[in-house]
Amino acid sequence: RHVLPEVLRKLSAAAHAVWGDEGDAMGTLASRLFAASELIAEFTYYLFNGALYTRGSAAIAILSHHALYAWLLRPPAVGGRAERARHRLQALRCLPNWRPHTMPDIEAATSHTADAYVRGAYWASFEKPPEVAKDVLLKCLESQLQASEASASRGRADAQRMQRALKDLAASGGVLPG
């Protein structure tokens, strides 16, 4: 059985429903985002378990997890490169942090099924309590899909902070403070 292509097919359909590309985009935006988030979690489960204990596999799964959320929150079709970069930066703000000192790949490996991981371990693996992490993520995703001047302003402020941090890093000879 080829589970990854099947999960990606379902995720693609869920993403199109989120974007409103599908005529059958049933339910609220929040419910469609929740369905897509669960499929991202399922895909991540399979990546974590695909090469367990292999150097770099957890990092690949985490980066893929983040990339799938960035893809789900695709930038607006209009605008230049800087606007798309600001949108991606704002989208990354939505992602919850994994709890400190945890190993999400091991948490996935200890879940007997993908469904058990998605329903329990995935949401419990973040810093905030599961229901809070889920609620904060879904509200943030929804706000990012509904562009506003406030969101654009936050994006510009984030971009300016990042530019200052890069200039400070360059001025220090590449040595991080602290």
Side-chain angles (χ1 to χ4, degrees), residues 80-92:
R81 186 173 144 214
E83 185 177 338
R84 288 191 306 273
R86 283 192 301 272
H87 179 80
R88 285 189 186 103
L89 184 60
Q90 285 291 100
L92 288 175

Side-chain angles (χ1 to χ4, degrees), residues 2-17:
H2 303 284
V3 292
L4 283 179
E6 180 62 19
V7 173
L8 283 175
R9 186 194 60 72
K10 290 190 288 187
L11 178 55
S12 177
H16 284 281

Side-chain angles (χ1 to χ4, degrees), residues 70-81:
W71 168 72
L72 181 64
L73 294 174
R74 64 183 183 184
V78 296
R81 186 173 144 214

